[in-house]
Amino acid sequence: PPFLALLCFGAPAPALRAVGPTPPASPRRAEARTEAAAAEEPWCPYKVVAEGSAGGRLCFRTPARGFQCSARACRAHRSPGGALVANVLRNGSVLLQWAPPRPAAGLRGFALNCSWDGTYTRFPCDSVELGAACRDYLLPEAHGSVRYRLCLQPRVAPPRPAPPAHCVEFRVEPAAMRDIVVAMTAVGGTICVMLVFICLLVAYITENLMSPAAGAP
């Protein structure tokens, strides 16, 4: 009988929920979603625009997440606010790292402007357009003994005002000076090893050959 009653009347209908407009997400949640999507992005799209040209070719690179500048391998230069960091490596390349702007909602990408000081004037170098998922960029080669100035400008969708640009200045150590320092270090280490061997040899000769024989008749 219970089964027959269940077949006749059926299960109770589920309670209906009132359907209404979805409440808008808070700015903090939207910003967190944007940052999470950028962190999960496996590639960084960028475009290098040479000086005097209309546009460049679209390229992709793998982000260098988790990179930390050690004192022996590179030297870090920070912008006044600390949002942009230029890690000058020993091989002459520069790895730029930056934090996402606040708020990150409506972020479309970044524009990286580059210039360097000459003898009498400042010269512009190639500018780079980066996607919103990019958090670093590698300058493969930088001229030695030249002062660079790099400015990172976030691009946001209108009508939001663009955040201020972050600029960092640094000077790359010339390659010739690095080679001289390495060579002097190697020569100094070799001289120290030779002096140690000479001291041991003198001590051995003094102890075994120059001292009088013990128990002479």
Side-chain angles (χ1 to χ4, degrees), residues 38 40-46 59-63 65 131-134:
E40 295 176 358
E41 190 73 23
W43 300 102
C44 168
Y46 69 96
C59 302
F60 296 87
R61 62 179 300 271
T62 305
R65 295 191 180 94
C134 300

Side-chain angles (χ1 to χ4, degrees), residues 89-114:
L89 306 178
R90 293 185 59 184
N91 59 359
S93 59
V94 181
L95 178 64
L96 300 173
Q97 294 177 314
W98 60 85
R102 302 287 183 174
L107 181 64
R108 287 188 172 182
F110 302 92
L112 181 65
N113 299 318
C114 172

Side-chain angles (χ1 to χ4, degrees), residues 67 73-75 87-95 138 172 178:
F67 175 82
C74 71
R75 181 176 297 178
N87 301 299
V88 182
L89 306 178
R90 293 185 59 184
N91 59 359
S93 59
V94 181
L95 178 64
L138 180 65
V172 180
R178 291 195 303 267

Side-chain angles (χ1 to χ4, degrees), residues 138-162:
L138 180 65
L139 294 174
E141 292 184 3
H143 299 286
S145 65
V146 173
R147 188 169 187 83
Y148 281 87
R149 178 179 174 85
L150 299 175
C151 294
L152 185 72
Q153 176 65 57
R155 292 181 173 179
V156 296
R160 296 183 177 88

Side-chain angles (χ1 to χ4, degrees), residues 1-19:
F3 291 103
L4 292 177
L6 209 68
L7 290 175
C8 292
F9 296 100
L16 297 179
R17 294 183 178 179
V19 179

